[in-house]
Every structure is written in C-alpha cells, then in structure tokens.
Amino acid sequence: MDITVKYIYDSTGEIEYAVIPYSIWKKIKKNITGNKIEKPKEEKKDFDPSEYKGMLSHLNLDIEKELRNMKDQWNTNI
C-alpha cells in the first residue's frame, strides 16, 4: 500500500494542504465528529496488576482475617 502524502503549496511556498491516500482518510474519518477530531479508542491491553497496587490500602483491611472469612465461606454448606 502506497502511503505517500502529497502537499499543495500556496503562492509563498508554504504548505497549505496535505493530500493523503483514501484508505488512510477512511480510518481518520471514523474519529471525526463535527469539526473535532477525537482520539481513537485505545486497544485492549494486557492486564497489569501493578496498576492496582495500593488501591485498597485506605480500607485498612486485616488480610489474614479476610482470608479466613473467605475460606469459611468455601466450607459453608448451601
């Protein structure tokens, strides 16, 4: 696929327009609403647990107690 961008210059030699291939325009056009270009939606990335480190620290949980409670729930007959 040819991805050559062509330019149109004004009378002073400054770039006035950029001409792009239609295939690229179709991709860009999806992100344009009105006169505003929105950021494309982020691709789903792999789970990174380090992003959540310290997220529950403000709850001051007793981890050992919480683990015992969870284990007790597993042993409960339903």
Side-chain angles (χ1 to χ4, degrees):
M1 176 171 77
D2 185 23
I3 308 180
T4 304
V5 177
K6 297 181 174 131
Y7 299 99
I8 299 175
Y9 299 86
D10 65 10
S11 59
T12 63
E14 295 292 317
I15 296 174
E16 191 170 3
Y17 299 98
V19 181
I20 60 172
Y22 184 69
S23 59
I24 295 175
W25 169 247
K26 286 194 302 188
K27 291 177 184 176
I28 294 171
K29 188 177 174 183
K30 292 178 190 175
N31 300 313
I32 297 176
T33 56
N35 291 329
K36 184 178 173 184
I37 297 178
E38 297 175 357
K39 289 174 70 177
K41 293 180 179 136
E42 291 184 23
E43 292 182 18
K44 197 172 190 178
K45 60 182 182 175
D46 292 337
F47 175 72
D48 181 7
S50 67
E51 293 179 11
Y52 301 95
K53 182 177 182 181
M55 192 170 157
L56 301 176
S57 62
H58 70 283
L59 298 177
N60 297 320
L61 298 173
D62 179 353
I63 299 300
E64 294 301 321
K65 180 181 174 186
E66 294 298 325
L67 290 172
R68 280 192 301 276
N69 288 342
M70 287 171 52
K71 186 176 180 182
D72 289 344
Q73 289 175 5
W74 295 336
N75 296 328
T76 304
N77 289 332
I78 298 178

Short mmCIF file of all heavy atoms in Angstrom, two decimals, residues 16-72:
data_model
loop_
_atom_site.label_atom_id
_atom_site.label_comp_id
_atom_site.label_asym_id
_atom_site.label_seq_id
_atom_site.Cartn_x
_atom_site.Cartn_y
_atom_site.Cartn_z
N GLU A 16 0.01 24.36 2.24
CA GLU A 16 -1.36 24.78 2.54
C GLU A 16 -2.28 23.59 2.75
O GLU A 16 -3.18 23.62 3.57
CB GLU A 16 -1.89 25.66 1.41
CG GLU A 16 -3.17 26.35 1.74
CD GLU A 16 -3.55 27.40 0.72
OE1 GLU A 16 -2.84 27.56 -0.30
OE2 GLU A 16 -4.58 28.07 0.93
N TYR A 17 -2.05 22.50 2.04
CA TYR A 17 -2.88 21.30 2.13
C TYR A 17 -2.00 20.06 2.08
O TYR A 17 -0.93 20.07 1.48
CB TYR A 17 -3.88 21.22 0.97
CG TYR A 17 -4.85 22.36 0.89
CD1 TYR A 17 -4.62 23.42 0.02
CD2 TYR A 17 -6.00 22.38 1.66
CE1 TYR A 17 -5.51 24.47 -0.07
CE2 TYR A 17 -6.89 23.42 1.59
CZ TYR A 17 -6.65 24.47 0.72
OH TYR A 17 -7.53 25.52 0.64
N ALA A 18 -2.50 19.00 2.70
CA ALA A 18 -1.85 17.70 2.59
C ALA A 18 -2.86 16.75 1.98
O ALA A 18 -4.02 16.73 2.37
CB ALA A 18 -1.41 17.19 3.96
N VAL A 19 -2.43 15.98 0.99
CA VAL A 19 -3.30 15.02 0.33
C VAL A 19 -2.84 13.63 0.77
O VAL A 19 -1.68 13.26 0.58
CB VAL A 19 -3.22 15.16 -1.20
CG1 VAL A 19 -4.14 14.17 -1.89
CG2 VAL A 19 -3.56 16.59 -1.63
N ILE A 20 -3.77 12.88 1.36
CA ILE A 20 -3.43 11.55 1.85
C ILE A 20 -4.22 10.50 1.09
O ILE A 20 -5.28 10.80 0.52
CB ILE A 20 -3.72 11.43 3.36
CG1 ILE A 20 -5.21 11.69 3.65
CG2 ILE A 20 -2.84 12.36 4.16
CD1 ILE A 20 -5.62 11.39 5.07
N PRO A 21 -3.75 9.26 1.07
CA PRO A 21 -4.49 8.19 0.40
C PRO A 21 -5.87 7.99 1.05
O PRO A 21 -6.04 8.18 2.26
CB PRO A 21 -3.61 6.96 0.59
CG PRO A 21 -2.25 7.50 0.83
CD PRO A 21 -2.45 8.79 1.55
N TYR A 22 -6.82 7.59 0.23
CA TYR A 22 -8.19 7.41 0.69
C TYR A 22 -8.29 6.36 1.80
O TYR A 22 -9.07 6.51 2.74
CB TYR A 22 -9.11 7.02 -0.48
CG TYR A 22 -10.55 6.91 -0.08
CD1 TYR A 22 -11.27 8.03 0.28
CD2 TYR A 22 -11.18 5.68 -0.03
CE1 TYR A 22 -12.59 7.94 0.67
CE2 TYR A 22 -12.50 5.56 0.35
CZ TYR A 22 -13.21 6.70 0.70
OH TYR A 22 -14.52 6.60 1.09
N SER A 23 -7.47 5.32 1.75
CA SER A 23 -7.52 4.28 2.78
C SER A 23 -7.19 4.86 4.16
O SER A 23 -7.78 4.47 5.17
CB SER A 23 -6.56 3.14 2.44
OG SER A 23 -5.25 3.63 2.33
N ILE A 24 -6.26 5.79 4.20
CA ILE A 24 -5.92 6.44 5.47
C ILE A 24 -7.04 7.39 5.88
O ILE A 24 -7.42 7.47 7.04
CB ILE A 24 -4.58 7.19 5.36
CG1 ILE A 24 -3.46 6.18 5.14
CG2 ILE A 24 -4.32 8.03 6.59
CD1 ILE A 24 -2.12 6.80 4.88
N TRP A 25 -7.61 8.11 4.92
CA TRP A 25 -8.72 9.02 5.21
C TRP A 25 -9.89 8.27 5.85
O TRP A 25 -10.50 8.75 6.80
CB TRP A 25 -9.17 9.74 3.96
CG TRP A 25 -10.46 10.48 4.16
CD1 TRP A 25 -11.66 10.22 3.59
CD2 TRP A 25 -10.68 11.59 5.03
NE1 TRP A 25 -12.61 11.09 4.04
CE2 TRP A 25 -12.03 11.94 4.94
CE3 TRP A 25 -9.86 12.31 5.88
CZ2 TRP A 25 -12.58 12.99 5.66
CZ3 TRP A 25 -10.41 13.36 6.61
CH2 TRP A 25 -11.76 13.69 6.49
N LYS A 26 -10.21 7.07 5.36
CA LYS A 26 -11.32 6.31 5.93
C LYS A 26 -11.08 6.02 7.41
O LYS A 26 -11.99 6.10 8.22
CB LYS A 26 -11.52 4.99 5.17
CG LYS A 26 -12.14 5.18 3.81
CD LYS A 26 -12.65 3.88 3.21
CE LYS A 26 -11.58 2.84 3.07
NZ LYS A 26 -11.99 1.64 2.33
N LYS A 27 -9.83 5.71 7.76
CA LYS A 27 -9.51 5.43 9.17
C LYS A 27 -9.62 6.69 10.02
O LYS A 27 -10.13 6.66 11.13
CB LYS A 27 -8.12 4.84 9.28
CG LYS A 27 -8.02 3.45 8.70
CD LYS A 27 -6.60 2.92 8.77
CE LYS A 27 -6.52 1.58 8.09
NZ LYS A 27 -5.16 1.05 8.04
N ILE A 28 -9.14 7.80 9.51
CA ILE A 28 -9.19 9.07 10.25
C ILE A 28 -10.63 9.55 10.38
O ILE A 28 -11.04 10.04 11.42
CB ILE A 28 -8.33 10.14 9.54
CG1 ILE A 28 -6.86 9.74 9.59
CG2 ILE A 28 -8.53 11.50 10.16
CD1 ILE A 28 -5.97 10.61 8.75
N LYS A 29 -11.41 9.40 9.31
CA LYS A 29 -12.78 9.91 9.26
C LYS A 29 -13.64 9.32 10.38
O LYS A 29 -14.52 9.99 10.90
CB LYS A 29 -13.38 9.57 7.89
CG LYS A 29 -14.71 10.19 7.63
CD LYS A 29 -15.15 9.84 6.22
CE LYS A 29 -16.54 10.32 5.95
NZ LYS A 29 -17.01 9.95 4.64
N LYS A 30 -13.37 8.06 10.78
CA LYS A 30 -14.15 7.43 11.85
C LYS A 30 -14.06 8.21 13.15
O LYS A 30 -14.96 8.16 13.98
CB LYS A 30 -13.65 6.01 12.10
CG LYS A 30 -13.91 5.05 10.99
CD LYS A 30 -13.33 3.70 11.36
CE LYS A 30 -13.35 2.76 10.18
NZ LYS A 30 -12.67 1.49 10.48
N ASN A 31 -12.96 8.93 13.35
CA ASN A 31 -12.72 9.63 14.60
C ASN A 31 -13.08 11.12 14.56
O ASN A 31 -12.80 11.83 15.51
CB ASN A 31 -11.25 9.48 15.00
CG ASN A 31 -10.87 8.04 15.18
OD1 ASN A 31 -11.58 7.30 15.83
ND2 ASN A 31 -9.76 7.64 14.60
N ILE A 32 -13.69 11.55 13.47
CA ILE A 32 -14.05 12.96 13.35
C ILE A 32 -15.54 13.14 13.60
O ILE A 32 -16.37 12.47 13.00
CB ILE A 32 -13.71 13.50 11.93
CG1 ILE A 32 -12.21 13.43 11.70
CG2 ILE A 32 -14.21 14.93 11.77
CD1 ILE A 32 -11.78 13.85 10.32
N THR A 33 -15.87 14.04 14.53
CA THR A 33 -17.27 14.40 14.76
C THR A 33 -17.36 15.91 14.66
O THR A 33 -16.70 16.63 15.40
CB THR A 33 -17.76 13.94 16.15
OG1 THR A 33 -16.90 14.48 17.15
CG2 THR A 33 -17.78 12.43 16.27
N GLY A 34 -18.16 16.39 13.75
CA GLY A 34 -18.22 17.83 13.51
C GLY A 34 -16.87 18.31 13.03
O GLY A 34 -16.31 17.77 12.10
N ASN A 35 -16.33 19.34 13.66
CA ASN A 35 -15.01 19.85 13.30
C ASN A 35 -13.95 19.39 14.30
O ASN A 35 -12.86 19.94 14.35
CB ASN A 35 -15.03 21.38 13.25
CG ASN A 35 -15.86 21.87 12.09
OD1 ASN A 35 -15.93 21.20 11.08
ND2 ASN A 35 -16.48 23.02 12.26
N LYS A 36 -14.28 18.41 15.13
CA LYS A 36 -13.39 17.98 16.19
C LYS A 36 -12.88 16.57 15.92
O LYS A 36 -13.66 15.68 15.61
CB LYS A 36 -14.17 18.01 17.51
CG LYS A 36 -13.38 17.69 18.72
CD LYS A 36 -14.28 17.83 19.94
CE LYS A 36 -13.58 17.35 21.17
NZ LYS A 36 -14.46 17.38 22.33
N ILE A 37 -11.59 16.37 16.03
CA ILE A 37 -11.02 15.03 15.86
C ILE A 37 -10.86 14.42 17.25
O ILE A 37 -10.21 14.99 18.12
CB ILE A 37 -9.66 15.08 15.15
CG1 ILE A 37 -9.83 15.64 13.75
CG2 ILE A 37 -9.03 13.70 15.10
CD1 ILE A 37 -8.55 15.78 12.97
N GLU A 38 -11.48 13.27 17.46
CA GLU A 38 -11.39 12.59 18.73
C GLU A 38 -10.27 11.57 18.70
O GLU A 38 -9.92 11.04 17.65
CB GLU A 38 -12.71 11.87 19.04
CG GLU A 38 -13.87 12.84 19.18
CD GLU A 38 -15.19 12.12 19.37
OE1 GLU A 38 -15.21 10.87 19.33
OE2 GLU A 38 -16.19 12.81 19.55
N LYS A 39 -9.74 11.27 19.86
CA LYS A 39 -8.70 10.25 19.94
C LYS A 39 -9.31 8.90 19.65
O LYS A 39 -10.42 8.62 20.09
CB LYS A 39 -8.10 10.23 21.35
CG LYS A 39 -7.25 11.43 21.68
CD LYS A 39 -6.81 11.41 23.12
CE LYS A 39 -5.81 10.32 23.38
NZ LYS A 39 -5.31 10.32 24.78
N PRO A 40 -8.62 8.08 18.90
CA PRO A 40 -9.15 6.73 18.66
C PRO A 40 -9.22 5.95 19.97
O PRO A 40 -8.45 6.20 20.89
CB PRO A 40 -8.15 6.09 17.71
CG PRO A 40 -7.05 7.06 17.52
CD PRO A 40 -7.38 8.32 18.24
N LYS A 41 -10.18 5.03 20.04
CA LYS A 41 -10.32 4.22 21.24
C LYS A 41 -9.08 3.37 21.41
O LYS A 41 -8.53 2.83 20.46
CB LYS A 41 -11.56 3.34 21.14
CG LYS A 41 -12.83 4.17 21.15
CD LYS A 41 -14.05 3.29 21.06
CE LYS A 41 -15.26 4.18 21.11
NZ LYS A 41 -16.25 3.86 20.18
N GLU A 42 -8.65 3.29 22.67
CA GLU A 42 -7.44 2.51 22.95
C GLU A 42 -7.71 1.03 22.73
O GLU A 42 -8.79 0.54 23.01
CB GLU A 42 -7.00 2.73 24.39
CG GLU A 42 -6.48 4.12 24.66
CD GLU A 42 -5.97 4.27 26.08
OE1 GLU A 42 -5.61 3.24 26.70
OE2 GLU A 42 -5.95 5.39 26.56
N GLU A 43 -6.70 0.37 22.22
CA GLU A 43 -6.81 -1.06 22.05
C GLU A 43 -6.75 -1.72 23.41
O GLU A 43 -6.09 -1.21 24.33
CB GLU A 43 -5.67 -1.58 21.17
CG GLU A 43 -5.76 -1.12 19.74
CD GLU A 43 -4.64 -1.71 18.90
OE1 GLU A 43 -4.02 -2.70 19.32
OE2 GLU A 43 -4.39 -1.15 17.83
N LYS A 44 -7.42 -2.84 23.54
CA LYS A 44 -7.42 -3.55 24.80
C LYS A 44 -6.00 -4.05 25.08
O LYS A 44 -5.39 -4.70 24.25
CB LYS A 44 -8.39 -4.73 24.73
CG LYS A 44 -8.76 -5.28 26.05
CD LYS A 44 -9.86 -6.29 25.88
CE LYS A 44 -10.41 -6.68 27.22
NZ LYS A 44 -11.51 -7.61 27.09
N LYS A 45 -5.49 -3.69 26.25
CA LYS A 45 -4.13 -4.11 26.58
C LYS A 45 -4.17 -5.22 27.62
O LYS A 45 -5.19 -5.45 28.26
CB LYS A 45 -3.31 -2.93 27.08
CG LYS A 45 -3.87 -2.27 28.33
CD LYS A 45 -3.02 -1.10 28.72
CE LYS A 45 -3.57 -0.47 30.00
NZ LYS A 45 -2.74 0.57 30.51
N ASP A 46 -3.06 -5.87 27.77
CA ASP A 46 -2.95 -6.95 28.74
C ASP A 46 -3.14 -6.41 30.15
O ASP A 46 -2.80 -5.27 30.45
CB ASP A 46 -1.59 -7.64 28.63
CG ASP A 46 -1.43 -8.40 27.33
OD1 ASP A 46 -2.46 -8.77 26.73
OD2 ASP A 46 -0.29 -8.62 26.91
N PHE A 47 -3.67 -7.26 31.02
CA PHE A 47 -3.88 -6.90 32.42
C PHE A 47 -2.54 -6.69 33.11
O PHE A 47 -1.64 -7.51 33.01
CB PHE A 47 -4.68 -8.02 33.12
CG PHE A 47 -4.84 -7.78 34.59
CD1 PHE A 47 -5.69 -6.80 35.05
CD2 PHE A 47 -4.13 -8.54 35.51
CE1 PHE A 47 -5.84 -6.57 36.41
CE2 PHE A 47 -4.28 -8.32 36.86
CZ PHE A 47 -5.13 -7.34 37.32
N ASP A 48 -2.41 -5.58 33.79
CA ASP A 48 -1.19 -5.27 34.54
C ASP A 48 -1.57 -5.02 35.99
O ASP A 48 -2.08 -3.94 36.33
CB ASP A 48 -0.50 -4.05 33.94
CG ASP A 48 0.79 -3.70 34.65
OD1 ASP A 48 1.23 -4.47 35.54
OD2 ASP A 48 1.37 -2.64 34.33
N PRO A 49 -1.36 -6.00 36.88
CA PRO A 49 -1.78 -5.84 38.27
C PRO A 49 -1.08 -4.69 38.98
O PRO A 49 -1.63 -4.14 39.93
CB PRO A 49 -1.43 -7.19 38.91
CG PRO A 49 -0.50 -7.86 37.99
CD PRO A 49 -0.73 -7.28 36.62
N SER A 50 0.09 -4.27 38.52
CA SER A 50 0.79 -3.18 39.19
C SER A 50 0.01 -1.87 39.12
O SER A 50 0.22 -0.98 39.94
CB SER A 50 2.19 -3.01 38.61
OG SER A 50 2.12 -2.55 37.28
N GLU A 51 -0.89 -1.74 38.16
CA GLU A 51 -1.71 -0.53 38.06
C GLU A 51 -2.68 -0.40 39.23
O GLU A 51 -3.21 0.67 39.50
CB GLU A 51 -2.50 -0.53 36.75
CG GLU A 51 -1.64 -0.41 35.52
CD GLU A 51 -2.45 -0.45 34.24
OE1 GLU A 51 -3.69 -0.36 34.30
OE2 GLU A 51 -1.83 -0.56 33.18
N TYR A 52 -2.93 -1.51 39.93
CA TYR A 52 -3.92 -1.51 41.02
C TYR A 52 -3.26 -1.59 42.39
O TYR A 52 -3.96 -1.68 43.39
CB TYR A 52 -4.88 -2.69 40.82
CG TYR A 52 -5.59 -2.59 39.50
CD1 TYR A 52 -5.10 -3.26 38.38
CD2 TYR A 52 -6.71 -1.80 39.35
CE1 TYR A 52 -5.74 -3.15 37.15
CE2 TYR A 52 -7.36 -1.68 38.14
CZ TYR A 52 -6.86 -2.36 37.04
OH TYR A 52 -7.48 -2.25 35.84
N LYS A 53 -1.95 -1.54 42.45
CA LYS A 53 -1.23 -1.64 43.71
C LYS A 53 -1.65 -0.50 44.64
O LYS A 53 -1.65 0.66 44.25
CB LYS A 53 0.28 -1.59 43.47
CG LYS A 53 1.09 -1.74 44.72
CD LYS A 53 2.57 -1.77 44.41
CE LYS A 53 3.35 -1.97 45.70
NZ LYS A 53 4.77 -1.98 45.46
N GLY A 54 -2.01 -0.86 45.86
CA GLY A 54 -2.39 0.14 46.85
C GLY A 54 -3.82 0.64 46.73
O GLY A 54 -4.24 1.52 47.46
N MET A 55 -4.58 0.06 45.84
CA MET A 55 -5.95 0.53 45.59
C MET A 55 -6.86 0.38 46.81
O MET A 55 -7.76 1.18 47.01
CB MET A 55 -6.51 -0.25 44.40
CG MET A 55 -7.77 0.30 43.85
SD MET A 55 -8.07 -0.60 42.29
CE MET A 55 -9.80 -0.38 42.16
N LEU A 56 -6.62 -0.65 47.63
CA LEU A 56 -7.46 -0.90 48.79
C LEU A 56 -6.79 -0.49 50.10
O LEU A 56 -7.32 -0.74 51.18
CB LEU A 56 -7.84 -2.39 48.84
CG LEU A 56 -8.60 -2.92 47.62
CD1 LEU A 56 -8.82 -4.41 47.75
CD2 LEU A 56 -9.91 -2.19 47.44
N SER A 57 -5.62 0.10 50.03
CA SER A 57 -4.86 0.42 51.24
C SER A 57 -5.62 1.34 52.19
O SER A 57 -5.46 1.24 53.40
CB SER A 57 -3.51 1.02 50.88
OG SER A 57 -3.68 2.23 50.18
N HIS A 58 -6.46 2.19 51.67
CA HIS A 58 -7.21 3.12 52.53
C HIS A 58 -8.26 2.41 53.38
O HIS A 58 -8.79 2.98 54.33
CB HIS A 58 -7.87 4.20 51.67
CG HIS A 58 -8.99 3.70 50.82
ND1 HIS A 58 -8.76 2.99 49.66
CD2 HIS A 58 -10.33 3.77 50.98
CE1 HIS A 58 -9.92 2.66 49.13
NE2 HIS A 58 -10.89 3.12 49.91
N LEU A 59 -8.57 1.14 53.08
CA LEU A 59 -9.57 0.40 53.84
C LEU A 59 -9.01 -0.22 55.11
O LEU A 59 -9.77 -0.68 55.96
CB LEU A 59 -10.18 -0.70 52.96
CG LEU A 59 -10.93 -0.23 51.72
CD1 LEU A 59 -11.41 -1.42 50.90
CD2 LEU A 59 -12.09 0.66 52.09
N ASN A 60 -7.68 -0.22 55.27
CA ASN A 60 -7.01 -0.78 56.44
C ASN A 60 -7.53 -2.17 56.79
O ASN A 60 -7.93 -2.44 57.91
CB ASN A 60 -7.17 0.16 57.65
CG ASN A 60 -6.49 1.49 57.39
OD1 ASN A 60 -5.42 1.55 56.80
ND2 ASN A 60 -7.14 2.57 57.80
N LEU A 61 -7.55 -3.05 55.81
CA LEU A 61 -8.06 -4.40 55.99
C LEU A 61 -7.04 -5.28 56.71
O LEU A 61 -5.84 -5.14 56.53
CB LEU A 61 -8.38 -5.04 54.64
CG LEU A 61 -9.46 -4.36 53.81
CD1 LEU A 61 -9.53 -5.00 52.43
CD2 LEU A 61 -10.80 -4.45 54.50
N ASP A 62 -7.55 -6.20 57.53
CA ASP A 62 -6.72 -7.24 58.12
C ASP A 62 -6.75 -8.40 57.13
O ASP A 62 -7.72 -9.14 57.06
CB ASP A 62 -7.29 -7.65 59.48
CG ASP A 62 -6.49 -8.75 60.14
OD1 ASP A 62 -5.56 -9.28 59.50
OD2 ASP A 62 -6.79 -9.06 61.31
N ILE A 63 -5.69 -8.54 56.36
CA ILE A 63 -5.66 -9.51 55.28
C ILE A 63 -5.87 -10.93 55.79
O ILE A 63 -6.62 -11.71 55.20
CB ILE A 63 -4.34 -9.41 54.47
CG1 ILE A 63 -4.20 -8.01 53.85
CG2 ILE A 63 -4.25 -10.49 53.41
CD1 ILE A 63 -5.30 -7.63 52.89
N GLU A 64 -5.22 -11.28 56.90
CA GLU A 64 -5.37 -12.64 57.45
C GLU A 64 -6.83 -12.91 57.81
O GLU A 64 -7.36 -13.99 57.52
CB GLU A 64 -4.47 -12.83 58.67
CG GLU A 64 -2.98 -12.79 58.35
CD GLU A 64 -2.57 -13.85 57.36
OE1 GLU A 64 -3.07 -14.99 57.43
OE2 GLU A 64 -1.73 -13.54 56.49
N LYS A 65 -7.49 -11.95 58.42
CA LYS A 65 -8.91 -12.10 58.79
C LYS A 65 -9.77 -12.26 57.53
O LYS A 65 -10.67 -13.10 57.48
CB LYS A 65 -9.37 -10.90 59.60
CG LYS A 65 -10.80 -10.95 60.04
CD LYS A 65 -11.18 -9.72 60.83
CE LYS A 65 -12.67 -9.72 61.13
NZ LYS A 65 -13.10 -8.48 61.75
N GLU A 66 -9.49 -11.46 56.52
CA GLU A 66 -10.26 -11.53 55.28
C GLU A 66 -10.08 -12.89 54.61
O GLU A 66 -11.03 -13.49 54.09
CB GLU A 66 -9.87 -10.41 54.32
CG GLU A 66 -10.21 -9.01 54.81
CD GLU A 66 -11.70 -8.80 55.01
OE1 GLU A 66 -12.51 -9.36 54.25
OE2 GLU A 66 -12.05 -8.07 55.95
N LEU A 67 -8.86 -13.41 54.63
CA LEU A 67 -8.60 -14.72 54.03
C LEU A 67 -9.33 -15.83 54.78
O LEU A 67 -9.88 -16.75 54.19
CB LEU A 67 -7.11 -15.01 53.99
CG LEU A 67 -6.30 -14.16 52.98
CD1 LEU A 67 -4.81 -14.39 53.17
CD2 LEU A 67 -6.71 -14.47 51.57
N ARG A 68 -9.34 -15.73 56.13
CA ARG A 68 -10.08 -16.73 56.93
C ARG A 68 -11.58 -16.68 56.60
O ARG A 68 -12.23 -17.71 56.45
CB ARG A 68 -9.86 -16.49 58.42
CG ARG A 68 -8.55 -17.02 58.94
CD ARG A 68 -8.49 -17.03 60.46
NE ARG A 68 -8.66 -15.69 61.05
CZ ARG A 68 -7.68 -14.81 61.21
NH1 ARG A 68 -6.45 -15.09 60.83
NH2 ARG A 68 -7.92 -13.63 61.75
N ASN A 69 -12.13 -15.46 56.49
CA ASN A 69 -13.56 -15.31 56.15
C ASN A 69 -13.86 -15.93 54.79
O ASN A 69 -14.88 -16.59 54.62
CB ASN A 69 -13.97 -13.83 56.14
CG ASN A 69 -14.04 -13.24 57.52
OD1 ASN A 69 -14.12 -13.97 58.52
ND2 ASN A 69 -14.00 -11.92 57.60
N MET A 70 -12.97 -15.71 53.84
CA MET A 70 -13.18 -16.28 52.51
C MET A 70 -13.13 -17.81 52.58
O MET A 70 -13.97 -18.49 51.98
CB MET A 70 -12.12 -15.76 51.52
CG MET A 70 -12.32 -14.32 51.13
SD MET A 70 -10.97 -13.58 50.18
CE MET A 70 -10.72 -14.73 48.88
N LYS A 71 -12.17 -18.34 53.34
CA LYS A 71 -12.05 -19.79 53.46
C LYS A 71 -13.28 -20.37 54.14
O LYS A 71 -13.79 -21.42 53.74
CB LYS A 71 -10.79 -20.15 54.24
CG LYS A 71 -10.53 -21.63 54.28
CD LYS A 71 -9.23 -21.94 54.98
CE LYS A 71 -9.04 -23.44 55.00
NZ LYS A 71 -7.84 -23.83 55.70
N ASP A 72 -13.80 -19.70 55.17
CA ASP A 72 -15.01 -20.14 55.86
C ASP A 72 -16.20 -20.18 54.90
O ASP A 72 -17.05 -21.05 54.99
CB ASP A 72 -15.33 -19.24 57.05
CG ASP A 72 -14.33 -19.44 58.20
OD1 ASP A 72 -13.61 -20.46 58.19
OD2 ASP A 72 -14.27 -18.55 59.08
#
